[in-house]
Amino acid sequence: MSSLRTHDDTWDIATSVGSTAVMVAAARAGETERETPLIRDPYAKILVAGAGTGVWELMLDDSFVAKIAEAQPESAAIFEHMGNYQAVRTHFFDAFFADAAAAGIRQIVILASGLDSRAYRLEWPDGTTVFEIDQPKVLEYKAVTLAEHGVQPSAVRHEVPIDLRYDWPAALGDAGFDSSTPTAWLAEGLLMYLPADAQDRLFAQITELSAPGSRVAVETVGVQAQDRRELMRERFQQIAAHFGIQDAIDVGDLMYHDEDRADVTDWLNGHGWAASAVTSQDEMRRLDRWVLVEETDQKAFSDFVVGERG
């Protein structure tokens, strides 16, 4: 279980789970500036620069990983791998939405959307509506920040400002969601912040709201051994101390490490979906983005799952 989470906790973009959205956006910003990027997010840097989280803004500095390498070569490799993972993950789910749009789906729901900018940066077909569900302050920060820079959505965008632990289906309906229309759902960077029973409830709710032909894409939760988590914690604390980063959040403390968490592919296949998965390791290697060379338990890495409702 997480040591920093409670059943009724909340956050803005600079605290708790909200700050992890800044971490992911920083990775997208870094990827965008590579010579041959897997994805392009011209808005990620804008969103990170104003977030006020401290540590993740440092990732906007091109020399940051090089500076880490001077102090801790092993940690630098991990940081590079983390950035590559985020790029590969984003690339995979961008392709999911492109396929859903090509199949005629025009209703999109992004769960715990954080600083996801797909409603702005992807080329959506006419008539597409994107619903973003997240904490009110997180959605407000994104919309206000991008509007201040003259950025407008490329689809009809509806905010659904609610915690997924509450009655989000009702809030989604109030925002104009039509459960009789096929929907493309995304749960990316989410499940690790939910207990196992909340994960089951989430997919049951998605299933109930999904018309035939709906699609879902999911990033599953990797399970790291306790000694591996402690090693990662120690390395991160050393980096924070080296760069004088105060009050840095250990992301691992925000996650729920439930050993009895359901296998997402199995759950979906048992509840009216046709689902399949690819391992994140295989996808990273396919795109030539695998960095780690040390032996690591395969269960420590996530899978990317897609499913279609029959």
Side-chain angles (χ1 to χ4, degrees):
M1 293 291 288
S2 165
S3 61
L4 295 182
R5 302 294 308 285
T6 61
H7 75 283
D8 59 353
D9 56 343
T10 187
W11 50 84
D12 58 19
I13 201 61
T15 59
S16 187
V17 176
S19 67
T20 67
V22 185
M23 172 189 69
V24 175
R28 294 200 307 270
E31 178 66 22
T32 299
E33 295 183 358
R34 291 176 66 131
E35 290 187 7
T36 56
L38 287 177
I39 58 99
R40 296 181 186 275
D41 186 344
Y43 312 123
K45 192 170 185 177
I46 295 171
L47 292 166
V48 174
T53 59
V55 59
W56 305 124
E57 283 93 323
L58 286 175
M59 293 177 66
L60 298 179
D61 180 355
D62 293 338
S63 64
F64 182 55
V65 173
K67 293 175 181 176
I68 294 176
E70 293 177 3
Q72 296 183 36
E74 300 88 353
S75 297
I78 292 172
F79 264 79
E80 181 182 1
H81 193 85
M82 288 170 55
N84 284 350
Y85 173 82
Q86 297 296 341
V88 169
R89 183 181 81 170
T90 302
H91 180 270
F92 183 91
F93 293 124
D94 281 1
F96 163 78
F97 279 129
D99 290 344
I105 295 177
R106 298 292 181 264
Q107 184 167 252
I108 310 299
V109 179
I110 302 177
L111 302 157
S113 58
L115 296 184
D116 187 302
S117 64
R118 291 185 175 95
Y120 297 85
R121 66 178 178 82
L122 294 187
E123 295 182 4
W124 297 102
D126 291 343
T128 300
T129 300
V130 179
F131 295 90
E132 295 190 353
I133 305 177
D134 211 321
Q135 296 273 351
K137 291 181 179 179
V138 173
L139 292 175
E140 179 184 12
Y141 169 78
K142 177 167 59 178
V144 169
T145 301
L146 292 180
E148 287 176 346
H149 288 79
V151 181
Q152 297 298 320
S154 54
V156 176
R157 176 178 175 268
H158 290 306
E159 294 184 357
V160 186
I162 190 171
D163 192 305
L164 286 168
R165 293 167 293 188
Y166 303 141
D167 191 4
W168 63 268
L172 184 61
D174 290 343
F177 176 84
D178 181 1
S179 61
S180 68
T181 299
T183 304
W185 303 85
L186 176 61
E188 176 189 31
L190 165 60
L191 299 189
M192 63 282 294
Y193 305 115
L194 295 177
D197 59 343
Q199 173 180 306
D200 291 346
R201 184 166 60 252
L202 177 73
F203 286 117
Q205 292 167 316
I206 290 172
T207 300
E208 185 176 350
L209 294 171
S210 293
S214 293
R215 300 186 180 193
V216 64
V218 184
E219 176 194 21
T220 68
V221 182
V223 181
Q224 288 188 339
Q226 181 63 31
D227 58 346
R228 175 72 176 176
R229 293 201 298 270
E230 290 300 327
L231 176 61
M232 296 293 288
R233 183 197 308 273
E234 180 181 337
R235 286 178 173 173
F236 187 83
Q237 289 174 342
Q238 290 173 349
I239 292 171
H242 181 81
F243 288 95
I245 300 170
Q246 301 295 321
D247 302 322
I249 294 176
D250 185 335
V251 175
D253 284 338
L254 302 175
M255 300 178 182
Y256 288 90
H257 303 286
D258 286 352
E259 295 182 0
D260 58 348
R261 187 182 298 274
D263 179 277
V264 174
T265 306
D266 290 346
W267 193 101
L268 290 172
N269 282 326
H271 291 82
W273 299 81
S276 60
V278 299
T279 69
S280 59
Q281 307 99 298
D282 287 347
E283 193 68 2
M284 291 183 74
R285 290 189 173 100
R286 183 180 74 82
L287 296 170
D288 196 26
R289 288 302 188 89
W290 186 264
V291 174
L292 296 183
V293 294
E294 59 184 274
E295 192 69 26
T296 306
D297 185 355
Q298 183 172 339
K299 293 181 180 179
F301 296 95
S302 64
D303 290 344
F304 302 145
V305 178
V306 293
E308 184 169 358
R309 187 90 162 104

